[in-house]
Amino acid sequence: MRPFEEVVAQHGPTVLRVCRAVVGPVDAEDAWSETFLSALRAYPRLPADANVEAWLVTIAHRRALDVGRARSRRPTPTDPMPDLASPRANPAARDPDLWDALARLPAKQRQAVAYHHIAGLPFAEIAALLGNSPDAARRASADGIKTLRRIYREDRTP
């Protein structure tokens, strides 16, 4: 079995992008950290033939939901906080409008888009994460991309 540090180095950026797409830029690093803490505990019991990336995205999905629930219970600050640039979240720096458009998608569409187009998971695995069928996961992803294109174009038109 590969050292866990190699797993983090190889899959960490993908997991961060998935977390960011699911819970947004503010809570993404918390979800990322929680993902790898959980993964570290379970890694010794992972079967040798397991799809590590899919396993990590599954954990990230659950941790992102936990972080989202925790966020909904936190008080909202009255003064706006400036967004801090994260060194690991480079895609947001390149195109923040795209991330804003992604955040406006309905949850299942946003998750399906993130898991398929960012993490590269097949629809059967996405369906297991979202609790629906592969066809429903495919449809949510397609609808999400269609809506994302529309939102993104609207935001970019002067």
Side-chain angles (χ1 to χ4, degrees), residues 81-141:
M81 296 291 292
D83 285 335
L84 300 176
S86 168
R88 293 188 303 235
N90 289 335
R94 289 193 303 262
D95 197 349
D97 293 341
L98 181 59
W99 289 107
D100 291 339
L102 186 63
R104 292 172 23 201
L105 291 177
K108 287 232 177 179
Q109 288 180 11
R110 184 176 60 250
Q111 291 168 350
V113 167
Y115 301 150
H116 184 69
H117 294 283
I118 294 175
L121 293 183
F123 291 113
E125 291 182 23
I126 296 169
L129 286 171
L130 299 181
N132 57 20
S133 69
D135 288 337
R138 182 184 317 277
R139 182 63 193 203
S141 178

Coordinates of all heavy atoms in Angstrom, one line a residue, residues 81-141:
M81 N -16.6 40.0 5.5 CA -15.2 39.5 5.6 C -14.6 39.5 4.2 O -15.2 39.0 3.3 CB -15.0 38.2 6.2 CG -15.5 38.1 7.7 SD -14.5 39.0 8.8 CE -13.0 38.0 8.7
P82 N -13.4 39.9 4.0 CA -12.8 39.8 2.7 C -12.4 38.4 2.4 O -12.1 37.6 3.3 CB -11.5 40.7 2.8 CG -11.2 40.7 4.2 CD -12.5 40.6 4.9
D83 N -12.6 38.0 1.1 CA -12.2 36.7 0.7 C -10.7 36.6 0.7 O -10.0 37.4 0.2 CB -12.7 36.3 -0.8 CG -14.1 36.1 -0.8 OD1 -14.7 35.7 0.3 OD2 -14.8 36.2 -1.9
L84 N -10.2 35.5 1.3 CA -8.7 35.3 1.4 C -8.4 34.3 0.3 O -9.0 33.2 0.1 CB -8.3 34.7 2.7 CG -8.6 35.6 3.9 CD1 -8.3 34.9 5.2 CD2 -7.9 36.9 3.8
A85 N -7.4 34.6 -0.5 CA -7.0 33.7 -1.6 C -6.3 32.5 -0.9 O -5.4 32.6 -0.1 CB -6.0 34.4 -2.5
S86 N -6.7 31.3 -1.4 CA -6.1 30.1 -1.0 C -5.0 29.6 -2.0 O -5.3 29.6 -3.2 CB -7.1 29.0 -0.8 OG -6.5 27.8 -0.6
P87 N -3.8 29.2 -1.6 CA -2.9 28.8 -2.5 C -3.3 27.5 -3.3 O -2.8 27.3 -4.4 CB -1.6 28.6 -1.7 CG -2.1 28.4 -0.3 CD -3.4 29.2 -0.2
R88 N -4.2 26.7 -2.7 CA -4.6 25.5 -3.3 C -5.8 25.7 -4.2 O -6.2 24.8 -4.9 CB -4.9 24.4 -2.3 CG -3.6 24.0 -1.5 CD -4.0 22.8 -0.6 NE -5.0 23.1 0.3 CZ -4.9 23.0 1.6 NH1 -3.8 22.6 2.1 NH2 -5.9 23.3 2.4
A89 N -6.5 26.8 -4.1 CA -7.7 27.0 -4.9 C -7.4 27.9 -6.1 O -8.2 28.8 -6.4 CB -8.7 27.7 -4.0
N90 N -6.4 27.6 -6.9 CA -6.0 28.4 -8.1 C -7.1 28.6 -9.1 O -7.2 29.6 -9.7 CB -4.8 27.8 -8.7 CG -3.5 28.1 -7.8 OD1 -3.5 29.0 -7.1 ND2 -2.5 27.2 -8.0
P91 N -8.0 27.5 -9.3 CA -9.0 27.8 -10.4 C -9.9 28.9 -10.1 O -10.3 29.6 -11.0 CB -9.8 26.4 -10.4 CG -8.8 25.4 -9.9 CD -7.9 26.2 -8.9
A92 N -10.2 29.2 -8.8 CA -11.0 30.4 -8.5 C -10.4 31.7 -8.8 O -11.0 32.6 -9.2 CB -11.4 30.3 -7.0
A93 N -9.1 31.7 -8.6 CA -8.3 32.9 -9.0 C -8.4 33.2 -10.5 O -8.4 34.3 -10.9 CB -6.9 32.8 -8.5
R94 N -8.4 32.1 -11.2 CA -8.4 32.3 -12.7 C -9.8 32.7 -13.2 O -9.9 33.5 -14.1 CB -8.1 31.0 -13.4 CG -6.6 30.6 -13.2 CD -6.2 29.5 -14.2 NE -6.9 28.3 -14.0 CZ -6.6 27.3 -13.3 NH1 -5.4 27.3 -12.7 NH2 -7.3 26.2 -13.2
D95 N -10.9 32.3 -12.6 CA -12.2 32.6 -13.1 C -13.2 32.6 -11.9 O -14.0 31.6 -11.8 CB -12.6 31.7 -14.2 CG -13.8 32.2 -15.0 OD1 -14.4 33.2 -14.6 OD2 -14.0 31.7 -16.1
P96 N -13.3 33.6 -11.1 CA -14.2 33.6 -10.0 C -15.7 33.6 -10.4 O -16.5 33.1 -9.7 CB -13.9 34.9 -9.2 CG -13.0 35.7 -10.1 CD -12.4 34.8 -11.1
D97 N -16.0 34.2 -11.6 CA -17.3 34.2 -12.1 C -17.9 32.8 -12.3 O -19.0 32.5 -12.1 CB -17.4 35.0 -13.4 CG -17.2 36.4 -13.3 OD1 -17.3 36.9 -12.1 OD2 -16.9 37.1 -14.3
L98 N -17.0 31.9 -12.8 CA -17.4 30.5 -13.0 C -17.8 29.9 -11.7 O -18.8 29.2 -11.5 CB -16.3 29.7 -13.7 CG -16.7 28.3 -14.0 CD1 -17.9 28.1 -14.9 CD2 -15.5 27.6 -14.7
W99 N -17.0 30.1 -10.6 CA -17.3 29.5 -9.3 C -18.5 30.1 -8.7 O -19.3 29.4 -8.1 CB -16.1 29.7 -8.4 CG -14.9 28.9 -8.7 CD1 -13.8 29.3 -9.3 CD2 -14.8 27.5 -8.6 NE1 -12.9 28.2 -9.5 CE2 -13.5 27.1 -9.1 CE3 -15.6 26.5 -8.1 CZ2 -13.1 25.8 -9.1 CZ3 -15.2 25.2 -8.1 CH2 -13.9 24.9 -8.6
D100 N -18.8 31.4 -9.0 CA -20.0 32.0 -8.5 C -21.2 31.4 -9.2 O -22.3 31.1 -8.6 CB -20.0 33.5 -8.7 CG -19.0 34.3 -7.8 OD1 -18.6 33.7 -6.8 OD2 -18.6 35.4 -8.2
A101 N -21.1 31.2 -10.5 CA -22.2 30.5 -11.2 C -22.4 29.1 -10.7 O -23.6 28.7 -10.6 CB -21.9 30.6 -12.7
L102 N -21.4 28.4 -10.5 CA -21.5 27.0 -9.9 C -22.2 27.0 -8.6 O -23.0 26.2 -8.3 CB -20.1 26.4 -9.8 CG -20.0 24.9 -9.4 CD1 -20.7 24.1 -10.5 CD2 -18.6 24.5 -9.2
A103 N -21.9 28.0 -7.8 CA -22.5 28.1 -6.4 C -24.0 28.3 -6.5 O -24.8 28.0 -5.6 CB -21.9 29.2 -5.6
R104 N -24.5 28.9 -7.6 CA -25.9 29.2 -7.8 C -26.7 28.0 -8.3 O -28.0 28.1 -8.4 CB -26.1 30.4 -8.7 CG -25.5 31.7 -8.1 CD -25.4 32.9 -8.9 NE -26.2 33.1 -10.0 CZ -25.9 33.9 -11.0 NH1 -24.8 34.7 -10.9 NH2 -26.7 34.1 -12.1
L105 N -26.1 26.9 -8.7 CA -26.8 25.7 -9.1 C -27.5 25.1 -8.0 O -27.0 25.2 -6.8 CB -25.8 24.7 -9.7 CG -25.2 25.1 -11.1 CD1 -24.2 24.0 -11.5 CD2 -26.2 25.3 -12.2
P106 N -28.6 24.4 -8.2 CA -29.2 23.6 -7.2 C -28.2 22.5 -6.7 O -27.3 22.1 -7.4 CB -30.4 22.9 -7.9 CG -30.7 23.8 -9.1 CD -29.4 24.4 -9.5
A107 N -28.4 22.1 -5.4 CA -27.4 21.3 -4.8 C -27.1 20.0 -5.6 O -25.9 19.7 -5.8 CB -27.8 20.9 -3.4
K108 N -28.1 19.2 -6.0 CA -27.8 18.0 -6.7 C -27.1 18.2 -8.0 O -26.2 17.5 -8.4 CB -29.1 17.2 -6.9 CG -29.6 16.6 -5.6 CD -29.9 15.1 -5.8 CE -30.3 14.6 -4.4 NZ -30.6 13.3 -4.3
Q109 N -27.5 19.3 -8.7 CA -26.8 19.6 -10.0 C -25.3 20.0 -9.7 O -24.4 19.6 -10.4 CB -27.5 20.7 -10.7 CG -28.8 20.3 -11.3 CD -29.5 21.5 -12.1 OE1 -28.9 22.5 -12.3 NE2 -30.8 21.2 -12.4
R110 N -25.1 20.8 -8.7 CA -23.8 21.3 -8.4 C -22.9 20.1 -8.0 O -21.8 20.0 -8.4 CB -23.8 22.3 -7.2 CG -22.5 22.9 -6.9 CD -22.6 24.0 -5.8 NE -23.1 23.5 -4.5 CZ -24.3 23.8 -4.1 NH1 -25.1 24.6 -4.7 NH2 -24.8 23.3 -2.9
Q111 N -23.4 19.2 -7.2 CA -22.7 18.0 -6.8 C -22.4 17.1 -7.9 O -21.3 16.6 -8.1 CB -23.4 17.3 -5.7 CG -23.5 18.1 -4.4 CD -24.5 17.5 -3.4 OE1 -25.3 16.6 -3.7 NE2 -24.5 18.0 -2.1
A112 N -23.4 16.9 -8.8 CA -23.2 16.0 -9.9 C -22.1 16.6 -10.9 O -21.3 15.9 -11.4 CB -24.5 15.8 -10.7
V113 N -22.2 17.9 -11.1 CA -21.2 18.5 -12.0 C -19.8 18.4 -11.3 O -18.8 18.1 -12.0 CB -21.5 20.0 -12.2 CG1 -20.4 20.8 -12.8 CG2 -22.8 20.1 -13.1
A114 N -19.7 18.7 -10.0 CA -18.4 18.6 -9.3 C -17.8 17.2 -9.4 O -16.7 17.0 -9.7 CB -18.6 19.1 -7.9
Y115 N -18.7 16.2 -9.1 CA -18.2 14.8 -9.0 C -17.8 14.3 -10.4 O -16.9 13.5 -10.5 CB -19.2 13.9 -8.3 CG -19.5 14.4 -6.9 CD1 -20.8 14.1 -6.3 CD2 -18.6 15.1 -6.1 CE1 -21.1 14.5 -5.1 CE2 -18.9 15.5 -4.8 CZ -20.2 15.2 -4.3 OH -20.5 15.6 -3.1
H116 N -18.6 14.7 -11.4 CA -18.3 14.1 -12.7 C -17.2 15.0 -13.5 O -16.2 14.4 -14.0 CB -19.5 14.0 -13.6 CG -19.3 13.4 -14.9 ND1 -19.0 12.1 -15.0 CD2 -19.3 13.9 -16.1 CE1 -18.8 11.8 -16.3 NE2 -19.0 12.9 -17.0
H117 N -17.4 16.2 -13.5 CA -16.5 17.1 -14.4 C -15.3 17.5 -13.6 O -14.3 17.8 -14.3 CB -17.3 18.3 -14.9 CG -18.4 17.9 -15.8 ND1 -18.1 17.5 -17.1 CD2 -19.7 17.7 -15.7 CE1 -19.3 17.2 -17.7 NE2 -20.3 17.3 -16.9
I118 N -15.3 17.6 -12.3 CA -14.1 18.0 -11.6 C -13.3 16.7 -11.1 O -12.1 16.6 -11.3 CB -14.4 18.9 -10.4 CG1 -14.9 20.2 -11.0 CG2 -13.2 19.2 -9.6 CD1 -15.4 21.2 -9.9
A119 N -14.0 15.8 -10.5 CA -13.4 14.6 -10.0 C -13.3 13.5 -11.0 O -12.5 12.5 -10.8 CB -14.1 14.1 -8.7
G120 N -14.1 13.5 -12.1 CA -14.0 12.5 -13.1 C -14.7 11.2 -12.7 O -14.4 10.2 -13.3
L121 N -15.6 11.2 -11.8 CA -16.3 10.0 -11.3 C -17.3 9.5 -12.4 O -18.0 10.4 -13.0 CB -17.0 10.1 -10.0 CG -16.1 10.4 -8.8 CD1 -16.9 10.5 -7.5 CD2 -15.0 9.3 -8.6
P122 N -17.5 8.2 -12.6 CA -18.6 7.8 -13.4 C -19.9 8.0 -12.8 O -20.0 8.1 -11.5 CB -18.2 6.3 -13.6 CG -17.4 5.9 -12.4 CD -16.7 7.2 -12.0
F123 N -21.0 8.0 -13.6 CA -22.3 8.3 -13.1 C -22.8 7.2 -12.1 O -23.6 7.6 -11.2 CB -23.3 8.5 -14.2 CG -23.0 9.8 -15.0 CD1 -22.6 9.7 -16.3 CD2 -23.2 11.0 -14.4 CE1 -22.3 10.9 -17.0 CE2 -22.9 12.2 -15.0 CZ -22.5 12.1 -16.3
A124 N -22.4 6.0 -12.2 CA -22.8 5.0 -11.3 C -22.3 5.3 -9.8 O -23.1 5.2 -8.9 CB -22.3 3.6 -11.7
E125 N -21.1 5.8 -9.7 CA -20.6 6.2 -8.4 C -21.2 7.5 -7.9 O -21.4 7.6 -6.7 CB -19.0 6.3 -8.5 CG -18.4 5.0 -8.7 CD -16.9 5.0 -8.7 OE1 -16.3 6.0 -8.1 OE2 -16.3 4.1 -9.2
I126 N -21.5 8.4 -8.8 CA -22.2 9.6 -8.4 C -23.6 9.3 -7.9 O -24.0 9.9 -6.9 CB -22.2 10.6 -9.6 CG1 -20.8 11.0 -10.0 CG2 -23.1 11.8 -9.3 CD1 -20.7 11.8 -11.3
A127 N -24.2 8.4 -8.6 CA -25.6 8.0 -8.2 C -25.5 7.4 -6.7 O -26.4 7.7 -5.9 CB -26.1 6.9 -9.1
A128 N -24.5 6.6 -6.4 CA -24.4 6.1 -5.1 C -24.2 7.2 -4.0 O -24.8 7.2 -2.9 CB -23.3 5.1 -5.0
L129 N -23.4 8.2 -4.4 CA -23.2 9.4 -3.5 C -24.5 10.2 -3.3 O -24.7 10.6 -2.2 CB -22.1 10.3 -4.1 CG -20.7 9.8 -4.0 CD1 -19.8 10.7 -4.8 CD2 -20.2 9.8 -2.6
L130 N -25.2 10.4 -4.4 CA -26.4 11.3 -4.3 C -27.7 10.6 -3.9 O -28.7 11.2 -3.7 CB -26.6 12.0 -5.6 CG -25.4 12.9 -6.1 CD1 -25.7 13.6 -7.4 CD2 -25.1 14.0 -5.0
G131 N -27.6 9.2 -3.9 CA -28.8 8.5 -3.5 C -29.8 8.4 -4.6 O -31.0 8.5 -4.4
N132 N -29.4 8.4 -5.9 CA -30.3 8.3 -7.0 C -29.8 7.3 -8.0 O -28.8 6.6 -7.7 CB -30.6 9.6 -7.6 CG -29.4 10.4 -8.1 OD1 -28.4 9.8 -8.3 ND2 -29.5 11.7 -8.3
S133 N -30.4 7.2 -9.2 CA -29.9 6.3 -10.2 C -28.8 6.9 -11.1 O -28.7 8.1 -11.1 CB -31.1 5.9 -11.1 OG -31.5 7.0 -11.9
P134 N -28.1 6.1 -11.8 CA -27.1 6.6 -12.7 C -27.7 7.6 -13.8 O -27.1 8.6 -14.1 CB -26.5 5.4 -13.4 CG -26.6 4.3 -12.4 CD -27.9 4.6 -11.7
D135 N -28.9 7.2 -14.2 CA -29.6 8.1 -15.2 C -29.9 9.5 -14.6 O -29.8 10.5 -15.2 CB -30.8 7.5 -15.8 CG -30.5 6.3 -16.7 OD1 -29.4 6.3 -17.3 OD2 -31.4 5.4 -16.9
A136 N -30.4 9.4 -13.3 CA -30.7 10.7 -12.6 C -29.4 11.5 -12.4 O -29.4 12.7 -12.5 CB -31.4 10.4 -11.3
A137 N -28.3 10.8 -12.1 CA -27.1 11.5 -11.9 C -26.6 12.2 -13.2 O -26.1 13.3 -13.2 CB -26.0 10.6 -11.3
R138 N -26.7 11.4 -14.3 CA -26.3 11.9 -15.6 C -27.2 13.1 -16.0 O -26.7 14.1 -16.4 CB -26.5 10.8 -16.6 CG -26.1 11.2 -18.0 CD -26.4 10.1 -19.1 NE -26.0 8.8 -18.6 CZ -24.8 8.2 -18.7 NH1 -23.8 8.9 -19.2 NH2 -24.6 7.0 -18.3
R139 N -28.5 13.0 -15.7 CA -29.4 14.1 -16.0 C -29.1 15.4 -15.1 O -29.1 16.5 -15.6 CB -30.8 13.7 -15.8 CG -31.9 14.7 -16.1 CD -31.8 15.0 -17.6 NE -32.5 16.2 -17.9 CZ -33.0 16.5 -19.1 NH1 -32.8 15.6 -20.1 NH2 -33.6 17.5 -19.3
A140 N -28.8 15.2 -13.8 CA -28.5 16.3 -13.0 C -27.2 17.0 -13.5 O -27.1 18.2 -13.5 CB -28.3 15.8 -11.5
S141 N -26.2 16.2 -13.9 CA -25.0 16.8 -14.4 C -25.2 17.5 -15.7 O -24.8 18.7 -15.9 CB -24.0 15.7 -14.7 OG -22.8 16.2 -15.2

